[in-house]
Each structure stands twice: as structure tokens, then as C-alpha cells.
Amino acid sequence: MQGEIETQLQPQDQPTKWEKVLYKRQPFPDNYTDESFLQDLVLNAHVPERSYWSVVVSSAAITQQLCTVVAAVAVPVHLRAGNISAQQLLVVCSLLLVLGYATCAVLGNHLLGGSLARGVRQGVLL
């Protein structure tokens, strides 16, 4: 009986080392951490270097899609509420079409359809 008690006390006398595992029952609280907890932490190991303008250009497509969704919801709501008329909407859309075509022609160095006359015809048909 005495030897049995000594073997039960012996493992408890030695301090138990904490291990960073969840599947094992340990005599520590759930939120316990020791000094070795963050020793293997690596901060920003493989973060690529990006330039500001490349990120801005890359995010333009997402921004355009979000604006399209907002406009698709806002236009019918404002038409129904009477804040804008159908004629005002037509004028604004036409101006934006011409402005977009001119921007494409100037900045992109190309015209819709290949020539100015053909581009105007396609713009009118839109």
C-alpha cells in the first residue's frame, strides 16, 4: 500500500511541462501560455512588395463593379421617388457615354470601331 502511494505522488512532484497542443489534457488553464508560445512566430515572412499605383489600378475593376451595383439599385429608386426624370437620366447617360468614349480615344489611343465615323455610328446605335 505504501509503495502504491509513493508511485502516485512521484509524477505530481515533478513539474509538468506545458505543450502547445489542444488534444491533450494538461493541468493548466485553457488560456495559459508560457514563454515559448511565440518563439516560432514569423511575422510577414513572404509579403510581396507592391507599389501604390499598381494597387490602385488593380482595384479599379472592383470599384467599377461596386459602383455599377449601387447605380443599378439607386436609379430605379430615384426614378420611382420622382427625384429625377427619365429625360434627365437619358441626358446624363448620353453625356457619360460621350465622355467615356472621348477618354478611351485620348488615353487608350484607339477608337471604338477603328475610325471616328464608325465609332460615332456605334455610339449612336448604343
Side-chain angles (χ1 to χ4, degrees), residues 81-92:
N83 296 335
I84 57 172
S85 67
Q87 291 80 14
Q88 289 173 329
L89 182 64
L90 183 63
V91 168
V92 169

Side-chain angles (χ1 to χ4, degrees), residues 36-55:
S36 69
F37 183 71
L38 294 177
Q39 78 183 25
D40 295 329
L41 179 69
V42 178
L43 293 175
N44 301 329
H46 302 288
V47 177
E49 198 63 32
R50 301 187 194 278
S51 71
Y52 175 75
W53 289 110
S54 67
V55 173

Side-chain angles (χ1 to χ4, degrees), residues 34 38 47 63 81 86-87 89 93-94 102 115:
D34 70 350
L38 294 177
V47 177
T63 305
Q87 291 80 14
L89 182 64
C93 286
S94 300
S115 70

Side-chain angles (χ1 to χ4, degrees), residues 10 12 15 18 23 29-30 50 55 61 68 74 84 86 88 90 100 114:
Q10 188 176 8
Q12 292 175 357
W18 177 80
Y23 59 85
D30 287 342
R50 301 187 194 278
V55 173
T68 302
I84 57 172
Q88 289 173 329
L90 183 63

